[in-house]
Amino acid sequence: MSNAKNPDPEQSPSQPTGADRRIPEAVIRRLSLYSRVLQVLERQGIEKISSTELGERLGFNSAQVRKDLAYFGQFGVPGFGYPVQDLRNNIKRILGTDREIRVALIGVGHLGTALLSYDGFRKQGFLISVAFDLFENLEGVGAMRVPIFHINQLERRLEEFGVEFVMLAVNPEAAQGIADRLTATGISAILNFVPVRLRVPSKVRVHDVDLAIEMESLSFYLK
Amino acid sequence: MSNAKNPDPEQSPSQPTGADRRIPEAVIRRLSLYSRVLQVLERQGIEKISSTELGERLGFNSAQVRKDLAYFGQFGVPGFGYPVQDLRNNIKRILGTDREIRVALIGVGHLGTALLSYDGFRKQGFLISVAFDLFENLEGVGAMRVPIFHINQLERRLEEFGVEFVMLAVNPEAAQGIADRLTATGISAILNFVPVRLRVPSKVRVHDVDLAIEMESLSFYLK
DNA sequence: TAGATTGTTAATCGATTAACAATC
DNA sequence: TAGATTGTTAATCGATTAACAATC
């Protein structure tokens, strides 16, 4: 567009600069990492940072930092860099984590209990407000005072507690059936700890946290 | 090489077909997924599978399946497909998970305790044989009868228990210091649950399991 | 043999990095 | 202004997919 050598500028509409382009998943994950670095800087009272410094802290190229941010707007000042607090606010807004998000946990076994007690979530604004299990005798109040219901109350209670997304930590046999029920209720994001490939409609987003695969792939690089 | 139209075959040495090429990380992770599917097929008594079927089960292109496997050798039979049991054995061998691997857990908090109790590891041949914590009063025997030592015994006990790699689940402040001690003892793989970018020598492999980032990036796709 | 499917090369696609005019 | 750093285009790199001869 601004390339003077282009003989026919009218014919080159250039790429859209807004949110039009499809954003690669990797960009979103890096955004989250930037946010974490900016949080540290903010606590230290540092007010600006260049793409080079921000990249170095995470092992990324400075062009990558600038390009990632440019997907969403212009946040920097040429000659200076990026204002720390302002940029962090913008990233939180882009990620949608500038507010409290209510989450449900399904499956209160060992892993589920650890997730209930993990305070990293609350720090990021994620509030586990309700949990479910397949065993009736777990009903009651679990760690962190979170109410636990039997799975047969799933639909009703998700609604009641205003749950926006779900962490799934049940046994592999139960996972797909529950995923089906979740998508039927309109849940659009699942953090899946079950080592099973869930079949869901394309509008539903599933992120797998697969410890066995992490271990196996690490093992490949041993020594 | 076998392309008859190539006017000068001697000049095209072709890519190396052995383990010469650098293997992309994504290939290794898919290998682990293939292994899991093959395990299911094996239990069902199915003896062969084509790259197309295997790919469909995981949402991958058949060419990708064949190419991934071709990094490591020729495991298929043209016209038939891949022998299930044989291929699985080969993949396990390639990943180095055809044997028991001794693992240490560092940090026996909520998450650490869940990891101790998670039986998905033992199923894959990973044995958590020793654990450490920063609080002396946790010393003793933890979940699954795993001995827990104070962190000041780290080097000695890693050696004693023949630990090959480590799961790190301590608080963020302690993580880098422990990582330094681990790399000094020659540990070459760390599964890191701490939301901190660890600085380690390049020979050490760190895989991050970062729940906060999983949550934040999921949140971007909400609705 | 005819049909099916591999292994592998070439083509495509997408993501990362380099380069630099614009700008504070 | 001179120096620094952005936003963005173009070049590079790497990974995925298509295509097909080889082969069972």
Side-chain angles (χ1 to χ4, degrees):
Chain A
M1 191 128 107
S2 54
N3 183 349
K5 289 174 188 165
N6 191 322
D8 190 0
E10 295 301 324
Q11 286 299 88
S12 74
S14 90
Q15 292 161 311
T17 301
D20 312 54
R21 288 171 287 192
R22 250 198 18 66
I23 315 289
E25 159 102 31
V27 171
I28 302 301
R29 304 180 84 87
R30 285 195 295 269
L31 238 45
S32 183
L33 289 166
Y34 300 151
S35 163
R36 185 180 287 163
V37 170
L38 293 167
Q39 188 177 23
V40 171
L41 295 173
E42 216 176 317
R43 267 198 238 109
Q44 295 172 343
I46 295 169
E47 290 183 357
K48 67 178 174 66
I49 189 166
S50 69
S51 57
T52 306
E53 289 173 90
L54 185 49
E56 271 170 5
R57 296 219 178 203
L58 293 161
F60 302 150
N61 185 289
S62 73
Q64 183 159 72
V65 173
R66 294 195 298 279
K67 200 159 205 291
D68 285 348
L69 297 173
Y71 274 101
F72 302 98
Q74 308 197 165
F75 306 112
V77 183
F80 280 86
Y82 299 87
V84 167
Q85 191 181 341
D86 186 58
L87 180 58
R88 174 144 201 272
N89 291 342
N90 273 301
I91 292 178
K92 295 296 278 186
R93 183 181 44 73
I94 291 162
L95 292 174
T97 53
D98 55 347
R99 62 190 182 93
E100 189 179 272
I101 296 177
R102 272 160 295 181
V103 176
L105 168 70
I106 307 185
V108 192
H110 290 298
L111 181 58
T113 302
L115 295 173
L116 276 185
S117 309
Y118 182 54
D119 60 357
F121 294 140
R122 194 163 352 356
K123 277 189 206 145
Q124 303 289 329
F126 298 100
L127 184 67
I128 303 180
S129 30
V130 58
F132 302 89
D133 199 273
L134 283 76
F135 292 105
E136 284 163 18
N137 56 10
L138 279 178
E139 280 200 315
V141 177
M144 313 306 283
R145 303 244 141 95
V146 174
I148 304 176
F149 297 103
H150 185 257
I151 191 72
N152 65 19
Q153 299 188 38
L154 181 65
E155 289 78 2
R156 172 179 8 156
R157 301 295 186 177
L158 286 179
E159 172 84 24
E160 176 187 339
F161 284 86
V163 167
E164 298 189 61
F165 76 82
V166 160
M167 301 192 300
L168 191 60
V170 298
N171 62 318
E173 292 71 30
Q176 183 60 59
I178 293 172
D180 294 342
R181 288 171 66 183
L182 290 172
T183 58
T185 69
I187 288 290
S188 63
I190 300 174
L191 189 60
N192 176 39
F193 292 87
V194 189
V196 160
R197 172 70 40 131
L198 297 179
R199 301 254 157 200
V200 296
S202 62
K203 67 183 163 104
V204 177
R205 189 102 196 164
V206 177
H207 283 199
D208 294 307
V209 176
D210 196 320
L211 298 184
I213 286 185
E214 294 300 334
M215 300 283 272
E216 276 208 300
S217 62
L218 252 191
S219 142
F220 177 79
Y221 298 99
L222 274 185
K223 219 147 305 100
Chain B
M1 188 129 107
S2 54
N3 183 347
K5 287 174 190 164
N6 190 322
D8 191 0
E10 295 302 322
Q11 285 299 89
S12 74
S14 87
Q15 294 162 310
T17 301
D20 313 55
R21 289 170 286 191
R22 249 195 20 62
I23 315 287
E25 160 101 29
V27 171
I28 302 301
R29 304 179 87 85
R30 285 195 295 267
L31 239 44
S32 184
L33 289 167
Y34 300 151
S35 163
R36 185 181 287 164
V37 170
L38 293 166
Q39 189 177 23
V40 171
L41 296 173
E42 217 175 316
R43 269 199 237 107
Q44 295 173 343
I46 294 168
E47 291 185 353
K48 69 181 173 63
I49 189 167
S50 68
S51 58
T52 306
E53 290 173 90
L54 186 48
E56 272 169 6
R57 296 219 179 204
L58 294 160
F60 302 151
N61 184 290
S62 71
Q64 183 161 70
V65 173
R66 293 195 297 280
K67 202 160 202 293
D68 286 348
L69 297 173
Y71 274 101
F72 303 97
Q74 308 196 166
F75 306 113
V77 182
F80 280 87
Y82 298 86
V84 168
Q85 190 180 342
D86 187 58
L87 180 57
R88 175 145 201 271
N89 290 341
N90 273 301
I91 291 178
K92 295 296 279 184
R93 183 181 43 75
I94 292 162
L95 293 173
T97 53
D98 55 345
R99 62 190 183 93
E100 189 178 272
I101 296 177
R102 272 159 296 182
V103 176
L105 168 70
I106 307 184
V108 192
H110 290 298
L111 181 59
T113 303
L115 295 174
L116 277 185
S117 309
Y118 181 55
D119 60 357
F121 294 140
R122 195 164 352 354
K123 278 189 205 145
Q124 303 288 331
F126 297 100
L127 185 67
I128 303 181
S129 31
V130 58
F132 303 88
D133 199 272
L134 284 76
F135 292 105
E136 284 163 18
N137 55 10
L138 279 178
E139 281 200 315
V141 177
M144 312 306 282
R145 303 244 141 93
V146 175
I148 304 175
F149 297 103
H150 186 257
I151 191 72
N152 67 16
Q153 298 189 37
L154 182 65
E155 289 78 1
R156 176 184 359 161
R157 301 294 187 177
L158 286 179
E159 171 86 23
E160 177 187 338
F161 283 86
V163 167
E164 299 189 60
F165 77 80
V166 161
M167 301 191 301
L168 191 60
V170 299
N171 62 320
E173 292 70 30
Q176 183 60 57
I178 292 172
D180 293 342
R181 288 172 66 184
L182 289 172
T183 59
T185 68
I187 289 288
S188 62
I190 300 175
L191 188 59
N192 176 38
F193 292 87
V194 189
V196 161
R197 172 69 39 131
L198 298 178
R199 301 255 156 200
V200 296
S202 62
K203 67 182 163 111
V204 177
R205 188 103 197 164
V206 177
H207 283 200
D208 294 307
V209 176
D210 196 320
L211 298 184
I213 285 185
E214 294 299 333
M215 299 283 272
E216 278 208 300
S217 61
L218 252 192
S219 141
F220 176 79
Y221 297 99
L222 274 187
K223 221 149 302 99

